[in-house]
Amino acid sequence: GLGLLEAVPAEMLLALADPEDSDGDGISGRVNMVWDQATGAPAPGRFGWKANQPNLNQQNAGAAIGDIGLTTPLNMAENCSESQQACRDAITGGTPEMPEDFLARLTLYTRTLAVPSQRNAGNAEVKRGEALFRAMGCAACHMPSLRTGGNPDFPELSGQVIHPFTDLLLHDMGEGLSDNRPDFAASGREWRTPPLWGLGLVPAVNGHDKLLHDGRARGFAEAILWHGGEAEPAKEMFRTAPRDEREALVAFLKSL
């Protein structure tokens, strides 16, 4: 589903943003304007925990150098600081280690990988959980639906109504989740709304249910209870709801 998120028009993200909370609903999503290396101009960020990458090619190149230390045409320098002499002296795999054609194939794969289908969508508890998800205010940021724009190179990604449960915007999530690390326009307290499609498959794919940016939450309910800032009212509605309602909402999340 990453290619579908990439295909959401920038104009839509800018229209969804409400940085001054002009409608007074307590939700003030912001676009993180970042640097697009391909165009050499600012662009809305949409990938990464703080929406610090504008497209999948740049996201993949950033992950290559940041996560596994592989240089690409976008990041030619090794990921070593001036003081890490052993790192700087280590043998490399060439310059760049991931050539442009390989990066292009990787980006094609991530761009066109399909979204997993929802399971048990017709189940009564799942349907009740979805209604509670909306009633408690979760859908204000985890927007159920977006629409992709046109892309002549990828018509299969164009003009689709998608259900990622995100607005791809930055939101203040409170001091409890702050990492005190600004990233472009994002403050230490701000995080991109993570898409929820595929969330229910995390335990099967990853072998655990540790959630949030640092894996601190043990399961879906605990992840909700860490919400603060703009999400504080929704969190409190979940926390104070009857047990059967909390279980129904979690059942809905597990179905995604």
Side-chain angles (χ1 to χ4, degrees), residues 189-212:
R189 293 166 53 113
E190 288 180 306
W191 301 91
R192 180 199 68 154
T193 307
L196 298 184
W197 55 11
L199 180 67
L201 296 176
V202 167
V205 173
N206 292 354
H208 62 74
D209 62 354
K210 306 297 189 294
L211 301 173
L212 300 179

Side-chain angles (χ1 to χ4, degrees), residues 36-233:
D36 188 330
Q37 291 176 257
T39 64
R46 60 184 76 206
F47 298 109
W49 287 108
K50 290 178 179 281
N52 67 351
Q53 297 290 4
N55 56 62
L56 285 173
N57 197 58
Q58 204 163 304
Q59 167 70 11
N60 289 337
I65 191 67
D67 296 344
I68 52 179
L70 291 177
T71 57
T72 67
L74 273 66
N75 298 294
M76 297 290 283
E78 295 290 337
N79 191 21
C80 307
S81 69
E82 289 295 327
S83 61
Q84 291 177 298
Q85 194 57 48
C87 176
R88 296 165 64 84
D89 292 341
I91 296 173
T92 71
T95 304
E97 293 162 310
M98 183 185 291
E100 185 171 2
D101 63 332
F102 188 97
L103 177 60
R105 293 198 300 271
L106 176 64
T107 299
L108 174 64
Y109 172 74
T110 56
R111 183 173 283 142
T112 56
L113 192 63
V115 180
S117 298
Q118 184 183 16
R119 282 86 51 212
N120 305 316
N123 178 275
E125 185 175 34
V126 168
K127 293 173 71 173
R128 183 183 182 215
E130 182 176 7
L132 288 165
F133 180 88
R134 297 172 186 269
M136 290 182 184
C138 307
C141 300
H142 290 284
M143 291 187 62
S145 300
L146 295 171
R147 187 177 184 87
T148 66
N151 186 334
D153 295 328
F154 293 94
E156 61 270 48
L157 303 177
S158 301
Q160 290 197 40
V161 176
I162 59 175
H163 306 287
F165 294 92
T166 180
D167 57 8
L168 295 175
L169 300 178
L170 296 174
H171 293 278
D172 182 341
M173 295 301 293
E175 193 59 34
L177 285 177
S178 175
D179 66 352
N180 300 306
R181 179 180 176 271
D183 199 339
F184 288 96
S187 73
R189 293 166 53 113
E190 288 180 306
W191 301 91
R192 180 199 68 154
T193 307
L196 298 184
W197 55 11
L199 180 67
L201 296 176
V202 167
V205 173
N206 292 354
H208 62 74
D209 62 354
K210 306 297 189 294
L211 301 173
L212 300 179
H213 66 282
D214 54 6
R216 69 177 67 181
R218 298 161 295 185
F220 303 102
E222 197 167 300
I224 296 170
L225 294 174
W226 270 108
H227 284 49
E230 296 173 46
E232 182 73 18

Side-chain angles (χ1 to χ4, degrees), residues 12-33:
M12 179 177 290
L13 301 183
L14 294 168
L16 290 174
D18 184 15
E20 304 301 326
D21 190 19
S22 57
D23 59 7
D25 66 352
I27 306 299
S28 52
R30 300 197 304 130
V31 173
N32 194 4
M33 294 302 294

